[in-house]
Amino acid sequence: MKKDDVLSEWNESEEQTDEKSAKKLVWRTRLSISFTVVRMLLLIFLLYVIYMIPISIYYEMSGKSAEFDRLVTTLVETRHPGIAVEKSGSNEAEINPFLTQHTSINLYRQVGDWQVVVGEVTAKKWVFGQINYTVDLDKKFLNNDNTTFVVAPDLLGNTFTEYDSGVMTLAEQLGKIDDGYVVQANFSTKESMTPEELRDIISKYDVTIQQMPVYGGELTEFETSYSKAGQFTFIPSLMLRPYTQYGDENRLSSWFHSLNEQEGLSEAVEKFYDDIAWLIDKGSYQEKDIDQKRLDYINENGLNVYGATVTGPIREIERLEEEVMFHQFELGGIEVWKWDGSY
């Protein structure tokens, strides 16, 4: 064999060896980097777990989770006519690594004995911020904003005069529907009255009283948003809701579905004062200053209402519309018959 051939073969063999070594080195480097990345991810995850476990346990055991759900429930149910927050579920607020509290809870309308899910409320509170909540309703119709009541004119220093809007009344709507349905409806009163006085009038009918709008001095004592249609004035108001009891660490313990019973109504009125005072004391939210003015006015002038949200058989709602003191009826929902009047 020639010397050049031997040298060529040796160089070839050396190159192959170097190439194999280079590949092994590349793979070792890749594996080393991969193991380093995996170790770093595991370390980050371990640190996250070590950080979040005590925070989550404290948030749950201290009652902060239940307190946040109570804040959101109270805000929604005292401001949105015809809407209630689901209370029988196992939902509880959560907290993230940035200490932001958040929750999502189902909303429903009580239509007859049906609890009809109509959307959900989502709420969030940053560690040093206010509660921000959004009520997402599954609307069937466009421009369907029938969630306000007409303020009784005497509360604004005026007198009521009959007014024909030219719009089809609720009775005309319901008159076209056969028996076998239950509905939810809102109506206003021509004069303000106490909750007990309004309950006494409604008690003649087979319906369930769900809420009553409370006058808190809006417009007469302080400025707030409002709208007018003819002689009617519409304002956002607090809602008197059925009695809701919270136990230790703000955990929901019991609740009523209606304002029909005299004892339950008295407890609901008493609890209303406590709930708004508690909300102002514990909550950080947009209308806090307004709520304080409302509470001051109600403490000084008593609790007066000017309407109600009710549910019951379709024919009973028709009868209710014949009451002289009631007007401005609006339909909140309609479902096939399911009614025993137990609520």
Side-chain angles (χ1 to χ4, degrees), residues 40-317:
M40 287 299 298
L41 290 176
L42 288 174
L43 179 61
I44 292 171
F45 177 73
L46 180 61
L47 292 174
Y48 171 80
V49 171
I50 293 173
Y51 171 68
M52 282 304 299
I53 285 179
I55 289 177
S56 298
I57 291 175
Y58 171 76
Y59 187 63
E60 171 64 26
M61 299 301 292
S62 66
K64 295 294 183 181
S65 172
E67 180 181 284
F68 188 66
D69 278 335
R70 179 181 176 182
L71 283 167
V72 174
T73 298
T74 306
L75 280 169
V76 172
E77 292 190 340
T78 58
R79 273 147 240 275
H80 295 272
I83 300 296
V85 175
E86 181 186 11
K87 300 180 179 67
S88 56
S90 58
N91 178 80
E92 286 191 344
E94 298 177 350
I95 191 168
N96 67 18
F98 301 103
L99 305 183
T100 297
Q101 303 176 71
H102 56 93
T103 190
S104 295
I105 316 175
N106 283 335
L107 300 175
Y108 69 91
R109 291 185 187 275
Q110 188 76 43
V111 184
D113 287 347
W114 296 105
Q115 292 181 334
V116 184
V117 176
V118 293
E120 69 174 8
V121 54
T122 56
K124 183 179 292 186
K125 182 183 182 299
W126 289 272
V127 61
F128 296 117
Q130 294 183 336
I131 296 175
N132 293 307
Y133 74 93
T134 303
V135 173
D136 299 313
L137 300 179
D138 301 327
K139 292 186 177 181
K140 289 184 178 180
F141 308 104
L142 295 175
N143 305 316
N144 186 33
D145 298 323
N146 58 343
T147 57
T148 53
F149 295 85
V150 176
V151 182
D154 64 295
L155 292 171
L156 303 177
N158 303 319
T159 57
F160 182 87
T161 55
E162 294 296 335
Y163 173 78
D164 184 6
S165 65
V167 179
M168 180 182 289
T169 65
L170 182 62
E172 291 173 324
Q173 290 178 305
L174 300 184
K176 300 180 182 298
I177 303 174
D178 294 331
D179 293 346
Y181 292 89
V182 287
V183 300
Q184 183 193 66
N186 302 325
F187 66 86
S188 303
T189 59
K190 297 177 182 178
E191 295 179 2
S192 62
M193 55 188 72
T194 65
E196 292 78 10
E197 290 171 336
L198 182 54
R199 186 203 74 88
D200 289 343
I201 298 175
I202 300 176
S203 64
K204 298 180 291 184
Y205 304 90
D206 184 20
V207 297
T208 294
I209 309 169
Q210 298 173 324
Q211 292 170 309
M212 298 178 182
V214 177
Y215 186 68
E218 297 89 350
L219 298 185
T220 56
E221 298 298 316
F222 58 90
E223 288 295 323
T224 186
S225 60
Y226 70 96
S227 60
K228 291 184 71 71
Q231 68 164 320
F232 297 153
T233 301
F234 301 85
I235 59 172
S237 62
L238 295 177
M239 304 296 298
L240 175 65
R241 60 174 179 164
Y243 177 80
T244 303
Q245 179 63 42
Y246 292 88
D248 295 338
E249 298 177 345
N250 295 298
R251 302 188 185 281
L252 189 64
S253 59
S254 62
W255 65 93
F256 290 84
H257 291 279
S258 76
L259 298 169
N260 286 59
E261 299 299 325
Q262 179 60 52
E263 181 178 355
L265 178 60
S266 299
E267 291 178 338
V269 170
E270 182 178 344
K271 196 69 170 60
F272 176 85
Y273 287 91
D274 294 339
D275 283 342
I276 302 303
W278 179 87
L279 193 62
I280 294 169
D281 180 50
K282 298 294 184 180
S284 176
Y285 57 101
Q286 189 173 1
E287 294 185 354
K288 183 173 181 176
D289 292 340
I290 292 178
D291 279 358
Q292 183 61 66
K293 294 176 181 178
R294 286 168 168 157
L295 185 60
D296 292 341
Y297 177 88
I298 295 169
N299 281 326
E300 183 177 346
N301 298 277
L303 196 151
N304 290 291
V305 299
Y306 54 94
T309 298
V310 299
T311 188
I314 194 169
R315 302 281 84 95
E316 286 298 300
I317 301 299

Side-chain angles (χ1 to χ4, degrees), residues 22-35:
K23 286 182 178 179
K24 288 182 179 179
L25 181 61
V26 168
W27 277 107
R28 286 197 193 99
T29 303
R30 288 178 178 176
L31 288 173
S32 177
I33 293 173
S34 298
F35 283 132

